[in-house]
Amino acid sequence: MLLEGKVVIVTGGSRGIGQAIAVACAKEGANVAINYWGDNDKSYGRLSAVEEVLADIEGLGRRAIAVEGNVAEPATGVELVSRTVEALGRVDVLASNAGICPFHAFLDMPPSVYERTVAVNLNGAFYVTQAAANQMKAQGTGGSIVATSSISALVGGGMQTHYTPTKAGVHSLMQSCAIALGPYGIRCNSVMPGTIATDLNAEDLADEEKRTYMEKRIPLGRLGAPDDVAQCVVFLASDRARYVTGASLLVDGGLFVNLQ
Ligand code: RM4
C-alpha cells in the first residue's frame, strides 16, 4: 500500500497509460480523480471508458470521481483541482498524463495539428501542474507530480515532429518545477515510456511491418503494457522516492540504449 490515504489526480485517466495509472494508484490505497476529454464518457451499449475506470477503482474499495475537460484550457486544471478537493478532500499526487499523438508527416503538417498537439501535451501539462502545485502548497504537506514524458523527449520520429518537442518540453517542465517547488516539498519527476501499446498508437502499430520492427528493436522483446508504466509512476509518486526530484525514468524495455 504505497499510496494509502493519498488523493491522486490523473489527467487523461480514462484510457491507455492514464487508465492504468488510475487503477494502479487505487490498488496502492489512493482515492483517485480522473480527468478525461472527448467521447470517453459515452457508452455504446456497454460501460464507457470513464464508467469502467470509476467502477474498477470503486471495486477496489476506493473513491473515484471523473471530471471532463480539455487540459489545454487554463481553467480546466483549476476546476479539476477544486472538484477533487470538494469530493476527496485534498491533492497529494498529480499524474500529468493527458497527451495526443496524431502521427503526421512534417512537410505538409497543418498548423492546426501542430498547435493542438502543443496545446494538449505541453500547455496542458503546464496548466494542470500549476493548479495542482498551488493546492499542494496551500495544504503545506508537500506532494508529488509525475508527468508522462516519453522516450521521444530524447530521440526523434519522422511522423512525430510536432509531438517529440512537446515531450522534451514536459521533461524540461518537470526539471524546472523541481526547482520551483522543492521549497514546498513538492517533488517533480517524469516517466519516459517507450513504445506502449495503447489507443494512441493502435493505428500506427496496426501496420504489421512497423509493429514487428518496433518489437525487434526492444531488448526485452515486447511492446510495453500500460501497467508497466503505471508501476513506475506509483513508485515516483510514493514516499519510496522521497529524495527523487527532477529525475526522469525511461520505461522502454531497453529501446533507447539499443544501438547495436
Ligand atoms: C512514443 C514513441 C512510441 C509511440 C508513441 C505514440 O513516444 O514514439 O513509439 O508509439 O510515442
Side-chain angles (χ1 to χ4, degrees):
M1 286 288 169
L2 289 180
L3 301 172
E4 179 102 68
K6 305 260 192 209
V7 174
V8 177
I9 291 178
V10 186
T11 65
S14 65
R15 285 155 67 195
I17 294 172
Q19 185 262 356
I21 294 171
V23 173
C25 289
K27 281 190 182 146
E28 296 292 341
N31 294 324
V32 183
I34 64 161
N35 145 272
Y36 68 95
W37 180 237
D39 270 350
N40 295 330
D41 61 333
K42 304 258 169 15
S43 173
Y44 301 101
R46 49 192 278 279
L47 290 184
S48 71
V50 172
E51 286 167 339
E52 216 167 286
V53 185
L54 295 180
D56 284 351
I57 294 171
E58 282 157 6
L60 291 161
R62 307 292 156 209
R63 286 154 64 206
I65 63 163
V67 184
E68 184 175 14
N70 179 0
V71 293
E73 305 292 338
T76 298
V78 175
E79 194 205 341
L80 177 60
V81 167
S82 71
R83 294 271 304 275
T84 303
V85 172
E86 212 172 274
L88 305 175
R90 52 188 290 111
V91 177
D92 299 293
V93 173
L94 166 67
S96 173
N97 168 80
I100 58 172
C101 183
F103 286 76
H104 203 291
F106 175 62
L107 291 175
D108 62 350
M109 185 165 326
S112 60
V113 174
Y114 172 71
E115 279 163 18
R116 192 164 63 93
T117 305
V118 173
V120 172
N121 295 9
L122 183 56
N123 301 353
F126 182 95
Y127 294 131
V128 178
T129 295
Q130 190 182 44
N134 272 303
Q135 175 61 27
M136 290 170 181
K137 178 189 169 212
Q139 291 167 186
T141 49
S144 175
I145 298 171
V146 186
T148 303
S149 173
S150 171
I151 187 174
S152 300
L154 309 174
V155 290
M159 298 289 278
Q160 295 175 307
T161 55
H162 49 337
Y163 169 84
T164 62
T166 68
K167 292 300 181 175
V170 163
H171 166 55
S172 171
L173 176 67
M174 288 301 105
Q175 290 184 317
S176 288
C177 285
I179 305 168
L181 301 175
Y184 307 105
I186 303 168
R187 298 182 295 102
C188 301
N189 296 289
S190 64
V191 285
M192 294 181 167
T195 304
I196 312 297
T198 67
D199 295 343
L200 201 71
N201 52 23
E203 207 183 307
D204 188 52
L205 296 173
D207 176 350
E208 205 47 51
E209 206 178 313
K210 170 123 190 221
R211 192 188 176 96
T212 310
Y213 167 75
M214 292 310 295
E215 282 165 354
K216 285 226 168 83
R217 294 203 41 169
I218 300 170
L220 290 183
R222 64 169 176 88
L223 299 180
D227 190 57
D228 295 330
V229 180
Q231 293 304 318
C232 296
V233 173
V234 165
F235 163 69
L236 289 170
S238 79
D239 290 340
R240 291 241 173 117
R242 62 187 171 268
Y243 200 56
V244 181
T245 195
S248 57
L249 180 55
L250 271 166
V251 189
D252 68 347
L255 178 57
F256 176 70
V257 296
N258 190 17
L259 179 59
Q260 54 178 301

